[in-house]
Amino acid sequence: MATIALLVSAYLVGSLSFAVIVSRLFGLPDPRSYGSGNPGATNVLRTGHRAAAALTLVADAAKGWLVMAAALHYGPAWGLSDAWVAAAGIAVFLGHLFPVFFGFQGGKGVATAFGILLAVSPWLGLSVAGSWLITFAMFRISSLSALVAALFTPLFAALWLKPTFVGMVIILAALLVWRHKSNIRKLLRGEETGFGKPAPRPQDMPPE
């Protein structure tokens, strides 16, 4: 029962799509209806409301951190193995990608993944954040920064984590890359929107 309760709770917490929630609180359009159509902090920032974007980023990261930190803290007391604790991290991430409360139309998971990694190992979280920041400083493209960070994450994880959690990190990284498949196609075509440039509306985008 403890394992089921943990995984279901993790998924439900992950299903809180803060891009949509925060946008409603600030009276902003639904982030799924403009820009990239992605309910995430980067798309919320396209409204020009920096506070809403920052709150979205922090909240999405916090839910990943909260679930993973709770699983790591209480898991041993509940008799849960490392594999089940790692599964909680995957569950909260899947909740963000496919939120039951928002028609399973979720974000791409960058902030939530960061929160999960930070809870598992602060050094891992900081290393991943560093790789994202370096790439972003060079190219000013959020999606490219996320992809580069995702590719480096398993290598960083191997330095600090147990094999079970390295496996979790590989799954998270693979899911994150998969969620960015449309961005990868745009990058290859040279069409990806850089930071500070207006993104086309979903209806104006070419077929993928």
Side-chain angles (χ1 to χ4, degrees):
M1 284 297 293
T3 56
I4 295 174
L6 174 64
L7 296 183
V8 171
S9 298
Y11 171 77
L12 292 177
V13 172
S15 289
L16 297 172
S17 184
F18 283 104
V20 179
I21 295 171
V22 170
S23 293
R24 290 177 181 175
L25 289 175
F26 281 88
L28 301 174
D30 190 312
R32 295 168 294 182
S33 67
Y34 62 84
S36 65
N38 177 61
T42 300
N43 205 34
V44 173
L45 185 59
R46 290 191 172 101
T47 65
H49 204 304
R50 295 183 179 181
L55 183 56
T56 298
L57 180 68
V58 171
D60 277 343
K63 70 182 179 184
W65 182 89
L66 178 64
V67 167
M68 199 68 225
L72 288 165
H73 183 76
Y74 293 107
W78 295 342
L80 301 179
S81 66
D82 285 346
W84 285 114
V85 173
I90 297 171
V92 68
F93 191 70
L94 288 173
H96 180 81
L97 302 187
F98 308 105
V100 67
F101 305 127
F102 297 94
F104 302 100
Q105 297 178 340
K108 295 181 180 178
V110 177
T112 301
F114 172 71
I116 295 168
L117 300 179
L118 193 63
V120 176
S121 167
W123 287 113
L124 174 59
L126 292 174
S127 297
V128 173
S131 64
W132 190 97
L133 288 170
I134 291 170
T135 307
F136 187 76
M138 293 172 63
F139 299 100
R140 305 290 288 177
I141 300 177
S142 179
S143 60
L144 178 61
S145 303
L147 288 166
V148 170
L151 293 175
F152 275 102
T153 298
L155 300 178
F156 293 139
L159 296 176
W160 291 296
L161 303 186
K162 299 177 183 178
T164 300
F165 291 104
V166 174
M168 178 198 74
V169 168
I170 291 172
I171 292 172
L172 295 181
L175 286 170
L176 196 147
V177 171
W178 172 71
R179 288 292 283 185
H180 281 80
K181 58 186 182 295
S182 62
N183 302 93
I184 293 172
R185 288 193 287 267
K186 292 174 188 174
L187 286 166
L188 293 174
R189 296 195 299 256
E191 299 172 353
E192 184 65 305
T193 304
F195 184 79
K197 298 178 181 179
R201 296 171 299 174
Q203 61 265 34
D204 296 332
M205 294 180 179
E208 296 177 351

